[in-house]
Amino acid sequence: MRRTLLMTAAAVLVSLTGLAHAADTPSAAPAKSWQQGLSRTDLVRQDLGAADREVIQARVDFEPGVTSPNHAHPGVEVAYVISGTFEYRLEGQAPVTLKAGDSLFIPAGVAHIAKNVGNEKGSELATYIVKKGEPLLILKQ
């Protein structure tokens, strides 16, 4: 009887320890920061023949849950979603959700944020027509 009681007490203690550990462990890993979970691969950079304009095309990959910083560009951007699901927030506009095959026009200088709201890596093809000699990305507050 005493042995059964000790075994039962030990089993309860192990169960409670496991529950306490599970409560301290998040169920899902936190989203990576944009510095770790966002990457850009430049594909094309070409002079447009105008004195001050060029086109840049890049593939931008987002890990799940990653949000870009609030930023703008010195020209227009056309974002085409290759894979995944994104929420875009453009300054002064309601948020819009885009899935693979959808596109979005972002006017020059408009601050915006993109977030991968899906559970898998998402990718977009970003095409910029921008002023030459200026930084492609301008961080906003």
Side-chain angles (χ1 to χ4, degrees):
M1 172 80 168
R2 184 172 183 206
R3 183 176 176 166
T4 303
L5 188 58
L6 286 174
M7 289 177 66
T8 303
V12 168
L13 183 60
V14 168
S15 295
L16 290 175
T17 302
L19 286 174
H21 179 68
D24 290 340
T25 305
S27 60
K32 293 180 181 178
S33 70
W34 68 269
Q35 293 97 332
Q36 295 174 332
L38 190 149
S39 64
R40 189 179 93 205
T41 305
D42 289 338
L43 303 171
V44 173
R45 184 177 211 119
Q46 182 68 46
D47 184 5
L48 283 176
D52 67 340
R53 298 281 172 188
E54 66 183 339
V55 63
I56 299 170
Q57 193 168 61
R59 179 185 174 126
V60 186
D61 298 305
F62 291 69
E63 293 296 325
V66 170
T67 302
S68 73
N70 191 23
H71 66 285
H73 306 286
V76 300
E77 175 186 359
V78 178
Y80 172 80
V81 178
I82 298 169
S83 64
T85 304
F86 290 90
E87 179 183 85
Y88 294 86
R89 293 181 176 265
L90 278 63
E91 183 177 41
Q93 297 183 29
V96 61
T97 301
L98 301 180
K99 295 182 180 197
D102 294 335
S103 295
L104 178 67
F105 179 83
I106 303 169
V110 171
H112 57 283
I113 295 169
K115 179 179 182 180
N116 178 354
V117 295
N119 295 323
E120 298 178 4
K121 182 171 98 172
S123 300
E124 71 171 19
L125 181 64
T127 304
Y128 311 93
I129 299 175
V130 295
K131 293 179 185 174
K132 285 191 238 179
E134 292 191 23
L136 179 60
L137 186 110
I138 303 155
L139 293 177
K140 299 288 187 171
Q141 290 294 331

